[in-house]
Every structure is written in structure tokens, then in C-alpha cells.
Amino acid sequence: MFARRTKRLIATAALVTALTGGALAGCSGEGATSTCSTTGCTITFERNVTNAKISILGVEVQLVSANQDSVTLKVAGQEVTVQRGDGVSVGDFTVKVNEITDSQVVVEVSRGGN
């Protein structure tokens, strides 16, 4: 009886975790990968890919251009330039640039913009 109850509790906990987004999910797009939770995603864009883009949280995010200090992205059709380390609001989202290197750009997109 104890073993059956334990199995049921483990199965229930796993189901609740899956349904509430307790585990992180990963996605990939054209020249981009992401790790997401229910409230936000960290996206890594490859700089050597033309029109690198990915769909996350119901919107498409595209790397338009990048230099050593800033990144221009298109988020849900709206173009925005973000300085390294800064965050800006784009519609219902906040976009922050975490890292810019010669090979990649890492940004965070989270719910809770304007």
C-alpha cells in the first residue's frame, strides 16, 4: 500500500510540475536557441546567421544587427535597439541584452513590459 501511494504522489508531482511550467523548456529557431520558463526566455543568437530568429512566448524575436555595445532586435514586429546590460520595454515584454561577443548575442525576454 505504501509503495502504491508513493508512486501516485510522484506521478502527481510530475504532472503538476509539467502543467505549471516548473521545468525549463528549450526551443530553437533559425540561428537561435532558447531556454524558457513560463515568464521569460534567454535567447542565444548566432551572429554569423543572416536573419537569425526564434518564436518564444507567442512572439517572434529576430536579431537585426549588433555591434560591440548594442543590439537591434525586432520583437513582435517592433524594432528596438538595446544597449549591452540595459533593458527596454517592448509591448508586453521586457528585453535585456546580457552578452555580445564576436560569435553570439545573448538576450533575455520576459513578460511584464508596458
Side-chain angles (χ1 to χ4, degrees):
M1 178 109 135
F2 179 74
R4 180 183 277 165
R5 178 177 275 174
T6 301
K7 286 181 184 178
R8 243 190 322 217
L9 287 173
I10 291 170
T12 301
L15 179 61
V16 168
T17 299
L19 292 176
T20 61
L24 293 178
C27 300
S28 62
E30 299 173 33
T33 58
S34 70
T35 303
C36 297
S37 69
T38 56
T39 59
C41 295
T42 299
I43 304 168
T44 302
F45 290 103
E46 297 174 32
R47 286 188 69 176
N48 63 348
V49 175
T50 303
N51 296 323
K53 60 185 169 184
I54 193 166
S55 290
I56 50 103
L57 302 173
V59 297
E60 184 173 272
V61 181
Q62 178 179 353
L63 177 63
V64 175
S65 65
N67 62 42
Q68 62 198 24
D69 299 316
S70 66
V71 174
T72 300
L73 301 164
K74 190 179 283 187
V75 180
Q78 184 175 344
E79 199 165 292
V80 61
T81 299
V82 186
Q83 300 297 313
R84 179 199 314 252
D86 286 348
V88 298
S89 292
V90 182
D92 293 333
F93 298 93
T94 299
V95 179
K96 180 181 178 189
V97 175
N98 290 343
E99 181 181 349
I100 304 170
T101 69
D102 290 339
S103 60
Q104 67 184 21
V105 172
V106 180
V107 300
E108 286 181 37
V109 178
S110 58
R111 294 186 193 275
N114 289 333

